[in-house]
Amino acid sequence: NVYRVTNRAKTSENREMIQIVQADGNNSELGWVPETALSLHNGSYVTKTGYVAVTTKNLSVQPDVFTAAKNQNFNGKTLQYREIYTVNKKEYYALYNNQNQFLGFVAKGSGLDLNTSPGGKYYAKSSYGTFMQKGKIRWNNFYFNSVRGNTTSYYGKTVKIKGYYQHFNGKTYY
């Protein structure tokens, strides 16, 4: 397992003690242990939130940054990262799905496209679609805080689709 050091102290007997949390996405505090009880690795941890689009069918996902990866298929999905770990000069993203479940760690560049928006990556697609519902909101962005209009005036009309986004919420937007 991987643990993150959050504090250090010396006992009255001059023993180095470290406070640790489990680096599993929950950051569960495990308490204080003697420094000699663990093998320490040089690395860093940054809390940073962003989104990634998965661009491979065989994404190498690790339960922690030192355990062997297992291939999982999240191809075409947009996932959220909340932490970035750097260990041995390699960056790992702690990934979560839209159900707030920790999925594991993935090395930077391993089939991930970084995104700044929960909308995810744009995928080109050439097809046509017909508006089949009235009154549905049309949004200006993927934060859903700016309304563009609604679908009422487009009802029954066929439009050319140039591409789509696979949003973090699991829905597809054209």
Side-chain angles (χ1 to χ4, degrees), residues 8-159:
R8 292 177 175 268
K10 282 196 179 197
T11 66
S12 58
E13 296 88 31
N14 211 25
R15 241 170 100 184
E16 276 289 326
M17 300 292 286
I18 56 175
Q19 185 179 28
I20 57 174
V21 297
Q22 190 160 357
D24 62 356
N26 296 323
N27 295 322
S28 307
E29 185 174 338
L30 298 174
W32 291 86
V33 296
E35 183 177 38
T36 56
L38 299 172
S39 173
L40 297 177
H41 298 274
N42 189 14
S44 63
Y45 159 84
V46 177
T47 300
K48 184 177 180 181
T49 301
Y51 300 90
V52 294
V54 180
T55 60
T56 181
K57 288 182 180 178
N58 294 312
L59 186 65
S60 295
V61 180
Q62 300 170 236
D64 62 59
V65 297
F66 297 108
T67 305
K70 293 181 182 175
N71 287 336
Q72 295 186 34
N73 188 356
F74 295 108
N75 192 30
K77 299 244 186 258
T78 299
L79 303 173
Q80 184 181 54
Y81 65 86
R82 297 184 190 162
E83 300 94 17
I84 302 173
Y85 290 82
T86 304
V87 178
N88 299 327
K89 298 181 182 178
K90 193 170 187 179
E91 282 187 346
Y92 297 88
Y93 293 90
L95 298 182
Y96 295 79
N97 65 16
N98 63 2
Q99 303 296 313
N100 202 30
Q101 295 170 320
F102 175 68
L103 302 174
F105 293 94
V106 176
K108 181 179 181 179
S110 302
L112 301 177
D113 277 358
L114 296 179
N115 296 289
T116 58
S117 157
K121 178 182 172 159
Y122 175 79
Y123 296 92
K125 177 180 181 171
S126 182
S127 65
Y128 292 89
T130 303
F131 284 89
M132 300 302 292
Q133 293 181 324
K134 294 181 183 178
K136 294 292 181 181
I137 296 174
R138 293 185 304 122
W139 298 98
N140 275 325
N141 60 45
F142 289 119
Y143 294 102
F144 306 111
N145 59 10
S146 176
V147 175
R148 184 177 221 156
N150 66 49
T151 60
T152 301
S153 64
Y154 291 93
Y155 179 75
K157 293 184 181 175
T158 299
V159 295

